[in-house]
Amino acid sequence: MAILTQFTQSNSIVNSKNTVEVWDFRDKQGTSIFGSVKVMNIGMEANGTVVSQPIEEGSFFSYNKTAEPHHVQCVLCFEGNAQHLQSMLTIVEKYKTGLDTFSIVTPYQEYENMSLESYSHARDVTNGYGLLYVQCEFKEIKEVETAYSSTDVSELPPPISDPANPSDASTVNTGMTTPGTGSEQTQKSAKRSRSMLHEIFY
């Protein structure tokens, strides 16, 4: 995880202890995606599931406990004239509909590979200058690497080759056969069926 104080301090504040606190949203190149923005409040959920059924002693393994993606909620505040606020809202919508992920940097932890899931907003404009409040819901995108294996074809058994001439293929002499006339019982059943059909239709 990156050290938070290595980021540029465009969205940093100095607290009462004279230490720098960084609050920002950074793309993979380390650039602030929202520019100058105030984080009004922020909350994080780290949910997961643990097996609820009794299990044999000593059989508690990693698949019995799973972690869900991080879920971050926060309220952002942008300041400026109507044109600036509209441009900020356009950027927010871009990250809502796009596939680009980013990091949420806080003084306590950096949440990486985040995506904007949903948002709502409200404006407070006075004399053409005002505030834009955006309530955002961010969710972590968990990615896993796909493992591939290779097989040495030289170790595989050779394929069965087809004969060059189909007539060269071996055949089995099954002897001469003649069409069977069927058993006497089968012939009687067929005769009775024809008689029944004859009585119905004729």
Side-chain angles (χ1 to χ4, degrees), residues 135-146:
Q135 181 172 335
C136 300
E137 302 283 338
F138 301 99
K139 183 167 289 186
E140 179 188 12
I141 304 300
K142 284 186 172 292
E143 298 178 327
V144 295
E145 295 183 359
T146 304

Side-chain angles (χ1 to χ4, degrees), residues 91-111:
I91 294 175
V92 172
E93 176 64 20
K94 170 189 172 183
Y95 281 95
K96 163 64 173 62
T97 58
L99 301 178
D100 293 331
T101 58
F102 46 86
S103 295
I104 300 177
V105 182
T106 76
Y108 323 107
Q109 185 175 352
E110 177 184 355
Y111 303 98

Side-chain angles (χ1 to χ4, degrees), residues 28-54:
K28 294 182 178 179
Q29 288 71 44
T31 304
S32 178
I33 63 176
F34 294 138
S36 180
V37 60
K38 293 181 180 179
V39 179
M40 306 302 293
N41 58 60
I42 188 169
M44 194 275 288
E45 294 181 6
N47 297 319
T49 57
V50 180
V51 60
S52 58
Q53 300 297 327

Side-chain angles (χ1 to χ4, degrees), residues 52-82:
S52 58
Q53 300 297 327
I55 60 175
E56 185 179 351
E57 183 178 357
S59 62
F60 185 58
F61 299 108
S62 59
Y63 56 79
N64 298 125
K65 184 176 184 178
T66 59
E68 296 181 2
H70 286 136
H71 185 199
V72 177
Q73 316 93 29
C74 68
V75 176
L76 308 179
C77 179
F78 301 94
E79 297 182 68
N81 56 29

Side-chain angles (χ1 to χ4, degrees), residues 7-189:
F7 290 101
T8 57
Q9 308 302 317
S10 59
N11 294 308
S12 61
I13 60 174
V14 179
N15 60 22
S16 58
K17 297 182 180 180
N18 293 322
T19 58
V20 175
E21 292 187 353
V22 179
W23 298 83
D24 213 348
F25 299 80
R26 304 276 172 165
D27 61 18
K28 294 182 178 179
Q29 288 71 44
T31 304
S32 178
I33 63 176
F34 294 138
S36 180
V37 60
K38 293 181 180 179
V39 179
M40 306 302 293
N41 58 60
I42 188 169
M44 194 275 288
E45 294 181 6
N47 297 319
T49 57
V50 180
V51 60
S52 58
Q53 300 297 327
I55 60 175
E56 185 179 351
E57 183 178 357
S59 62
F60 185 58
F61 299 108
S62 59
Y63 56 79
N64 298 125
K65 184 176 184 178
T66 59
E68 296 181 2
H70 286 136
H71 185 199
V72 177
Q73 316 93 29
C74 68
V75 176
L76 308 179
C77 179
F78 301 94
E79 297 182 68
N81 56 29
Q83 183 178 359
H84 174 70
L85 298 183
Q86 183 59 48
S87 65
M88 291 297 99
L89 197 57
T90 300
I91 294 175
V92 172
E93 176 64 20
K94 170 189 172 183
Y95 281 95
K96 163 64 173 62
T97 58
L99 301 178
D100 293 331
T101 58
F102 46 86
S103 295
I104 300 177
V105 182
T106 76
Y108 323 107
Q109 185 175 352
E110 177 184 355
Y111 303 98
E112 299 178 332
N113 214 34
M114 304 297 293
S115 180
L116 178 57
E117 183 177 42
S118 63
Y119 72 92
S120 59
H121 65 90
R123 292 189 183 187
D124 182 8
V125 180
T126 303
N127 297 325
Y129 187 90
L131 304 174
L132 172 66
Y133 297 96
V134 184
Q135 181 172 335
C136 300
E137 302 283 338
F138 301 99
K139 183 167 289 186
E140 179 188 12
I141 304 300
K142 284 186 172 292
E143 298 178 327
V144 295
E145 295 183 359
T146 304
Y148 296 93
S149 61
S150 59
T151 302
D152 188 355
V153 295
S154 62
E155 299 178 357
L156 298 176
I160 300 176
S161 58
D162 296 330
N165 189 338
S167 61
D168 295 337
S170 60
T171 59
V172 178
N173 187 1
T174 57
M176 297 180 61
T177 59
T178 58
T181 58
S183 64
E184 182 179 356
Q185 182 67 27
T186 303
Q187 294 179 20
K188 289 182 180 179
S189 298

